[in-house]
Amino acid sequence: MVNLEIINIKQLVADILSKQTDLNYCGTSYPDELTKFPAAVYHTTHKPHFIDSDKQELETDWTVSIDLFNDHGSLTELSNKVVNELVKLGFSYTSGDQNLAGVKRTALVFNAMVDNQRRMVFQN
């Protein structure tokens, strides 16, 4: 029996965000001072969806949260690029906007179930 690896969605998100040339900051934690814009802060969580009798995690539920920030201009184009990349992979999402003391924020939350054996993504 070969040990089945859980697909690393966090690395996939990091790769997608690193390709966004518009971003001046991207990380998994908020900096002490948010001074570089546009910026993205992301985190992921996952939990087993289905474990077989051999204790292999065949399916995993993933949640990806991405906060986009900008101190001037719109976040629509950047948000659309990120959404398109993750939706293309099979994620569903919700989106919300805020204006925080002159800094615009778009909160994106993506959800999917990942089949680790067949290496496929399904909306859950």
Side-chain angles (χ1 to χ4, degrees), residues 4-124:
L4 188 64
E5 285 189 35
I6 297 172
I7 295 173
N8 189 351
I9 297 298
K10 186 172 193 166
Q11 184 58 55
L12 186 65
V13 171
D15 292 345
I16 289 169
L17 291 174
S18 70
K19 292 177 186 171
Q20 305 306 316
T21 57
D22 301 346
L23 285 174
N24 288 316
Y25 173 82
C26 181
T28 57
S29 60
Y30 290 90
D32 291 336
E33 291 185 33
L34 197 53
T35 57
K36 295 180 181 180
F37 297 99
V41 178
Y42 67 97
H43 72 275
T44 61
T45 58
H46 62 92
K47 64 182 179 183
H49 183 82
F50 179 71
I51 297 174
D52 70 7
S53 60
D54 293 324
K55 306 291 187 226
Q56 299 287 313
E57 188 171 326
L58 301 182
E59 297 172 352
T60 306
D61 285 323
W62 281 88
T63 300
V64 176
S65 300
I66 303 173
D67 289 336
L68 300 173
F69 299 93
N70 203 0
D71 62 346
H72 66 282
S74 174
L75 285 166
T76 302
E77 187 176 332
L78 178 59
S79 176
N80 287 343
K81 288 179 186 177
V82 173
V83 166
N84 287 338
E85 289 291 324
L86 284 159
V87 166
K88 219 178 353 180
L89 294 174
F91 282 80
S92 62
Y93 77 99
T94 58
S95 175
D97 296 316
Q98 256 184 323
N99 192 342
L100 308 166
V103 175
K104 294 176 183 164
R105 172 182 176 246
T106 297
L108 303 170
V109 179
F110 300 89
N111 292 290
M113 189 272 294
V114 177
D115 185 319
N116 297 304
Q117 191 172 28
R118 292 185 284 169
R119 306 187 72 72
M120 297 174 74
V121 177
F122 301 94
Q123 291 184 7
N124 58 354

